[in-house]
Amino acid sequence: MGDQRPTNILCIGAGYVGGPTMAVIAAKCPHLKVTVVDVNAERIAAWNSDRLPIYEPGLDEVVRQARGRNLFFSTDIATGIREADIIFVSVNTPTKTFGEGAGCAADLQYWERTARQILAHSTRDKIVVEKSTLPVRTAEAMERILNSNGQGLRFDVVSNPEFLAEGTAIRDLENPDRVLVGSRETPEGVRARRAIVDIYATWVPRERIIESNLWSSELSKLTANAFLAQRISSINSISALCERTEADIDEVAYAIGTDSRIGPRFLKASVGFGGSCFKKDILNLVYICRSYGLHEVADYWESVVRINEWQQSRFVRTILANLFNTVAGKRIALFGFAFKADTGDTRESPGIAVARQLLEERAHVVITDPQALDNARQELEGVTGSVTFEPDPYRAAEGAHAIAVITEWSLYKTLDYARIFRSMEKPAFVFDGRNILDREALFALGFNVFAIGKKPLKHF
Ligand SMILES: NC(=O)c1ccc[n+]([C@@H]2O[C@H](COP(=O)([O-])OP(=O)(O)OC[C@H]3O[C@@H](n4cnc5c(N)ncnc54)[C@H](O)[C@@H]3O)[C@@H](O)[C@H]2O)c1
């Protein structure tokens, strides 16, 4: 890559990771030409339009800055591969739903297809970067496929897992805690790694760029997600005990979080974690541990997912128990359906489990969300029962017996709850699955208020 033309970067997979990541690289590195390709033509058309396919604060500005200058979105994968010097692969790696390892292992079919496409269209050496989250030692398989070419082409596989969080993706990309780049420790491997490090070093301070071997890099991503999710399941497990003992979960979280060894973040009790990554990555870790015969390690991490599922069901059981053991025919408004605030993403949202369980109990579920209603509709497609989608939270709550807060959108903190109370059936209930509302104020208005890990405030 010592010639005069700009380095061509290609990213295969224009999703929640590929799109924002490449937009930031292009914006920060005008000397690079960045192309993002995808098999999904509709998604690419949206990336080229004024209505981007994902909602992410700050994303529009970054895309506007670079698109057409050195950032391009295209469906022409073959040309993209041919022209690229460095290929980031950011395709989806969901949980397998069939065969060996179904419900646990990573489904690597999209990943392997990409490797074969790269092989089919390459006419010169390339660096291939694993951006997707993958099982440890995937790069070995990738190298075997790529270096099986009969043309003497050389492919160096580098691992560069993405740590961005949806909702803060642009901030995370512009100012990351760290960037991790792993490679083989051979001279060629280290040279490839340096090429990737150099891209990030354009805007990320060197001391925040960590270099490691390939396997450490791959495993660090799974481990980071497992640890983050574990903190949520840990605090959620204690929230259940708080509800039995009148300890207050926010007081407990604050008391333990001020210990610098523990730290305050990711200690917010809730209806449970969601998102496309935590569950899938932990189950992937569990599967890998089992395949190496490490059953105790597998059981340990699996319990993080089990507690999360239990917490979601526990939330529904609290609703049911307090609505006099029946919600059949009752209107229940779910405030929020995105798996977290500031995103329209609903993948693995606790809202899915809550809505399904309420529908099984024959409730009439009304879902409101400022960004996620289209995705919510898709998530619940084919589910039997009475479900409505309503953009306006006031209308969603009209005639409802209960409101259940699923997503911590800040707009829900500032609604006119006196007006909402007047429009609801009585007794009116609020189940705050995110502990964002002012419980005392709602109680004073007449609501019966239930929050996670808190003493209920009831009028009877
Ligand atoms: N979403 C997150 O917050 C996040 C954060 C860090 C890491 N990750 C990881 O990044 C990876 C991508 O996640 P995502 O959320 O962006 O997924 P996504 O489903 O939003 O995007 C993946 C894209 O890849 C495309 N694709 C699949 N096979 C292809 C092929 N052969 N050729 C071209 N395009 C193809 C799909 O059409 C899709 O648009 C996953 O491994 C995920 O675990 C995600």
Side-chain angles (χ1 to χ4, degrees):
M1 262 161 286
D3 52 24
Q4 293 310 301
R5 67 183 171 74
T7 301
N8 278 336
I9 308 244
L10 178 73
C11 177
I12 303 181
Y16 286 87
V17 168
T21 312
M22 292 303 127
V24 169
I25 290 181
K28 299 286 184 190
C29 308
H31 58 288
L32 302 176
K33 182 183 169 207
V34 181
T35 307
V36 190
V37 292
D38 203 293
V39 282
N40 184 337
E42 213 178 299
R43 226 174 196 187
I44 290 298
W47 280 111
N48 281 320
S49 77
D50 287 338
R51 194 156 184 256
L52 301 182
I54 62 176
Y55 170 73
E56 191 63 62
L59 179 63
D60 284 23
E61 290 74 12
V62 178
V63 169
R64 217 173 296 132
Q65 188 186 336
R67 196 173 56 192
R69 177 189 77 182
N70 67 329
L71 175 66
F72 304 92
F73 295 93
S74 160
T75 50
D76 187 352
I77 299 174
T79 304
I81 291 172
R82 218 167 21 248
E83 292 181 349
D85 303 296
I86 299 173
I87 302 179
F88 287 80
V89 184
S90 181
V91 298
N92 36 330
T93 49
T95 303
K96 231 179 139 184
T97 54
F98 54 89
E100 179 77 18
C104 210
D107 183 349
L108 296 175
Q109 60 170 308
Y110 308 101
W111 179 255
E112 183 168 335
R113 214 169 290 158
T114 313
R116 293 185 188 282
Q117 279 172 309
I118 294 175
L119 191 55
H121 301 294
S122 291
T123 49
R124 55 188 158 87
D125 297 355
K126 293 182 197 301
I127 297 171
V128 176
V129 185
E130 297 178 333
K131 198 44 141 170
S132 303
T133 303
L134 294 159
V136 54
R137 296 204 77 88
T138 301
E140 198 171 32
M142 188 87 173
E143 285 174 340
R144 290 219 176 113
I145 294 172
L146 290 172
N147 289 316
S148 69
N149 70 83
Q151 313 166 52
L153 297 181
R154 186 184 169 82
F155 294 93
D156 287 296
V157 179
V158 173
S159 163
N160 170 223
E162 185 47 62
F163 293 103
L164 70 78
E166 285 175 31
T168 53
I170 299 303
R171 198 174 75 203
D172 296 344
L173 288 164
E174 288 182 335
N175 189 22
D177 286 346
R178 77 331 203 161
V179 167
L180 178 58
V181 191
S183 72
R184 293 275 187 186
E185 304 286 6
T186 58
E188 296 83 3
V190 171
R191 202 177 315 131
R193 178 160 102 197
R194 290 281 149 76
I196 306 308
V197 167
D198 285 346
I199 295 173
Y200 287 103
T202 314
W203 78 96
V204 179
R206 282 271 173 180
E207 62 276 15
R208 288 204 216 152
I209 304 178
I210 303 169
E211 297 180 48
S212 75
N213 82 29
L214 257 179
W215 323 126
S216 310
S217 177
E218 288 178 333
L219 185 55
S220 295
K221 174 63 195 180
L222 291 181
T223 309
N225 274 355
F227 269 62
L228 290 169
Q230 178 267 121
R231 279 174 74 94
I232 300 174
S233 278
S234 294
I235 203 71
N236 281 345
S237 72
I238 299 299
S239 75
L241 187 55
C242 285
E243 288 167 32
R244 302 286 165 89
T245 57
E246 294 192 15
D248 179 292
I249 194 62
D250 287 336
E251 291 180 358
V252 173
Y254 183 74
I256 65 165
T258 45
D259 183 328
S260 59
R261 293 167 303 176
I262 296 174
R265 299 190 58 194
F266 264 68
L267 287 181
K268 184 90 182 134
S270 69
V271 56
F273 61 75
S276 65
C277 292
F278 282 174
K279 181 176 170 189
K280 128 178 127 59
D281 292 348
I282 294 175
L283 291 178
N284 185 354
L285 185 65
V286 166
Y287 183 78
I288 295 166
C289 291
R290 289 212 195 287
S291 71
Y292 285 105
L294 300 170
H295 297 289
E296 288 76 5
V297 184
D299 291 345
Y300 175 72
W301 289 110
E302 197 165 21
S303 71
V304 171
V305 174
R306 300 291 159 245
I307 284 285
N308 194 53
E309 287 166 352
W310 178 75
Q311 183 78 347
Q312 296 175 5
S313 307
R314 201 170 76 76
F315 184 69
V316 176
R317 283 198 299 274
T318 303
I319 297 177
L320 194 58
N322 288 289
L323 291 188
F324 317 107
N325 291 312
T326 176
V327 291
K330 291 180 182 167
R331 184 177 167 104
I332 300 185
L334 301 191
F335 274 22
F337 203 81
F339 82 90
K340 65 194 277 197
D342 295 328
T343 177
D345 194 355
T346 56
R347 292 177 293 179
E348 299 293 341
S349 169
I352 301 168
V354 171
R356 280 176 180 271
Q357 288 171 34
L358 288 173
L359 289 168
E360 274 165 27
E361 293 289 341
R362 311 236 167 131
H364 172 43
V365 176
V366 185
I367 296 170
T368 182
D369 190 289
Q371 292 293 341
L373 284 191
D374 288 345
N375 283 334
R377 242 179 236 114
Q378 281 176 25
E379 295 284 3
L380 296 176
E381 212 171 72
V383 174
T384 44
S386 169
V387 52
T388 335
F389 302 89
E390 170 55 63
D392 179 356
Y394 292 103
R395 292 183 61 172
E398 236 169 66
H401 290 256
I403 292 168
V405 178
I406 303 295
T407 312
E408 69 278 25
W409 287 106
S410 56
L411 88 96
Y412 298 142
K413 295 182 205 166
T414 53
L415 296 176
D416 178 352
Y417 282 96
R419 173 180 161 196
I420 288 176
F421 181 76
R422 282 197 300 276
S423 77
M424 286 176 67
E425 289 287 329
K426 308 295 173 331
F429 292 81
V430 169
F431 298 90
D432 185 354
R434 294 287 175 178
N435 291 0
I436 54 166
L437 302 182
D438 183 340
R439 292 157 57 246
E440 301 289 346
L442 291 179
F443 181 64
L445 288 172
F447 282 105
N448 298 293
V449 189
F450 296 78
I452 306 287
K454 305 251 178 199
K455 187 173 169 237
L457 300 177
K458 294 191 280 194
H459 291 285
F460 46 82

